[in-house]
Every structure is written in C-alpha cells, then in structure tokens.
Amino acid sequence: MRVGFLQLRVKFGEVKANVKKAVTFLGKVEDATIVLPELFNTGYLFKNQRELNSLAEPLTKSHTVSEMKKIAKKRNLHLIFGMAEKKARSVYNSAVFINPKGKVEVYQKVHLFDREKLFFTPGKALKVVSTPEAKVGIMVCFDWIMPEVARCLSLKGAGIIAHPANLVLPWGQEAMKLRCIENRVFGITANRIGTERRGTLNLTFTGGSQIMSPGGEVLVSAGDRSESLKVIEIDVAEAQDKHITPANDLFADRSPGLYSQITSKAKRK
Ligand code: ACM
C-alpha cells in the first residue's frame, strides 16, 4: 500500500491559494493514501469567533472539499486533511477523508488545544475509515496527548493512524512513535512549517512530518524547513500482528477490567 504525507507552509486566511498549492503537489502522485496538515486551508491563529466563522465551510458547500474531490478522482487518491467545518451553529476542527469516488467522511477533533477551546466545538466520536487496503484511524494534532485515542482506534481495527497536525510542542513527533509501538500500527503525521503571526499572537510549527512503522521506526520524515511530499510503500499486514514477543500479544495481554477509571469521568483524588 502506498502512503504519504504533504508537509506545507500555510498562509493564514488564503484558502484558495492554500488549496491550489496542495492540489498542485497532489497532482504529482497517484494511487496513494495521503495525509495533509490540520486546518491546512485556513491557517490556525484565529483572532476571534467571527474570523473563524468567516473561513469555516460546510462540507456540502466547500471550495476545499470540491477541489480535493477532483484531485482525488483524477489521481486515484485517498486524502485526509484538516479544515474548519461549519455545521449548524458550531464550528469543528475537522479532518476530512475523501476517496477517489468522492465519498466524504469526517472526524471532528475531540481534544482541543489551548485557544482552540475559545472557538471550536469538540467532537464526540472517534473515527475509522476504510481504504481498499486498510482501515485508517484519524486523530487531529493534540489528540496525541490522550493515549486512549490511538488505543481505541487500533482496537477498532485501524492498521494506520492518520494524524493531520499543527504541532507546536516539542514532544508530538516522539509521542507518536510510542502511540505506534504501544498499538503496533503505522502512523502518518502531517505537520506544518513556518511561523504564523497575527497581531500579538504568533506560533511556529515544528515540521518533522513522518511515517512510522508498528515498531516505532521512522520510515521517512521531513525536516522543519521545507514543504515536502513523501510517498512510500508499506506492508500494512504488519500491523495485524500484535506480538511484541512470541509470548506477548498487545491486545490479548490487556486487562480492561482494571482500567475502569479511564472510561469514567472520575474526579482526581
Ligand atoms: C494542536 O493541537 N494544534 C497543537
């Protein structure tokens, strides 16, 4: 199975230009599943709700979705990309999945980071989508901090975790290697590069997009300086074998009966 990431520099608010650039990159590949960054079309540092509302799009009436559908069909691509999704009165920090036939599915980010909590509504469900070769679980950026997310996606059968990101903390890429090791799944993190400046706000995105094996090995990565499209071949069947040693099957060795605190909203003691 061919999988890849597109690491991008994004211009805040320039949806058409950001989408056009991504589509130009994607026109160079075919027959692959490709992950793009979180909020790749709008940028990240919204000043207020009004600004976010003006850039968010309903999935059924979206320039971004319609352009991504076209390139997915033309190049036989499965795409997973981040965008601000307007739905009823809410805006979600979503990751959209599109297949070459134009099917659209969506994951709405559950674990919002920092100022995202001011403007976005958190999602309420985890999501696994299907390509012909593999089930793909979707997380968005800061979801990495909750190991439960990657675990649940893996238990739902995902062999690959697709991870659109705008990583700013120093540990995301390292933690994602662990998420792969502890679930024996492949991981694809697609991050941004560059600094976004919005008045007194600014953030530098750390690049380092990477594809990881079920053993946590980095199979291919990008630096933090340039935009980069990387596609490699993986044997996704490797993610079906959950053995760490001949005697240790990661899933069979779990003792869920001991983990009830994880699924209850228990207060900290
Ligand atoms: C993040 O979740 N965008 C850090």
Side-chain angles (χ1 to χ4, degrees):
M1 173 175 182
R2 282 158 54 77
V3 295
F5 62 73
L6 176 53
Q7 171 166 293
L8 287 170
R9 191 184 297 280
V10 168
K11 280 202 188 131
F12 185 89
E14 309 261 339
V15 172
K16 287 202 167 147
N18 292 327
V19 171
K20 190 168 177 202
K21 182 164 61 174
V23 166
T24 303
F25 269 109
L26 294 170
K28 297 176 187 156
V29 285
E30 58 187 352
D31 308 330
T33 294
I34 311 277
V35 184
L36 287 84
E38 177 185 17
L39 298 169
F40 91 94
N41 59 343
T42 56
Y44 184 78
L45 276 177
F46 305 96
K47 282 186 177 162
N48 52 45
Q49 187 77 54
R50 187 141 48 102
E51 188 174 62
L52 172 59
N53 292 352
S54 73
L55 290 166
E57 302 171 292
L59 298 187
T60 48
K61 215 174 144 207
S62 157
H63 170 76
T64 306
V65 171
S66 95
E67 291 302 300
M68 297 299 262
K69 269 188 184 174
K70 278 189 226 161
I71 194 69
K73 183 173 179 199
K74 193 165 167 198
R75 308 301 295 173
N76 193 33
L77 300 173
H78 291 78
L79 299 173
I80 295 151
F81 56 91
M83 64 174 274
E85 178 198 0
K86 199 182 278 177
K87 191 168 184 195
R89 296 235 174 123
S90 299
V91 183
Y92 296 94
N93 183 342
S94 293
V96 176
F97 168 77
I98 289 182
N99 80 6
K101 292 186 180 145
K103 181 176 180 187
V104 176
E105 294 186 69
V106 66
Y107 164 67
Q108 294 158 339
K109 184 177 185 179
V110 172
H111 302 100
L112 299 175
F113 178 68
D114 201 24
R115 289 180 74 256
E116 292 170 32
K117 291 192 170 190
L118 300 176
F119 314 126
F120 288 103
T121 300
K124 289 200 166 65
L126 303 183
K127 186 84 184 168
V128 176
V129 297
S130 292
T131 72
E133 299 98 340
K135 287 191 175 177
V136 181
I138 306 179
M139 323 198 318
V140 175
C141 204
F142 192 57
D143 283 327
W144 68 261
I145 200 106
M146 301 295 171
E148 295 88 348
V149 179
R151 171 55 51 96
C152 290
L153 294 173
S154 307
L155 289 170
K156 281 169 176 275
I160 300 173
I161 290 179
H163 183 218
N166 277 192
L167 292 167
V168 291
L169 300 176
W171 322 289
Q173 291 86 344
E174 288 304 302
M176 281 305 292
K177 294 182 205 168
L178 273 178
R179 297 292 96 84
C180 292
I181 293 169
E182 64 204 5
N183 296 293
R184 283 204 57 79
V185 291
F186 289 89
I188 309 170
T189 294
N191 199 16
R192 278 177 63 179
I193 52 165
T195 298
E196 199 169 281
R197 290 195 177 78
R198 309 273 299 132
T200 55
L201 304 168
N202 75 80
L203 274 181
T204 297
F205 303 99
T206 57
S209 299
Q210 56 187 8
I211 302 178
M212 297 143 278
S213 75
E217 185 192 352
V218 175
L219 301 173
V220 65
S221 63
D224 60 5
R225 299 253 164 103
S226 43
E227 298 186 309
S228 173
L229 173 64
K230 304 263 189 206
V231 178
I232 61 167
E233 183 81 32
I234 60 168
D235 179 4
V236 77
E238 278 176 42
Q240 278 163 19
D241 180 1
K242 299 299 180 189
H243 283 93
I244 292 275
T245 74
N248 292 104
D249 179 302
L250 270 182
F251 286 1
D253 283 359
R254 296 168 60 247
S255 291
L258 304 181
Y259 311 151
S260 59
Q261 286 82 359
I262 287 178
T263 53
S264 63
K265 263 257 185 219
K267 292 209 172 64
R268 268 190 293 162
K269 296 243 161 56

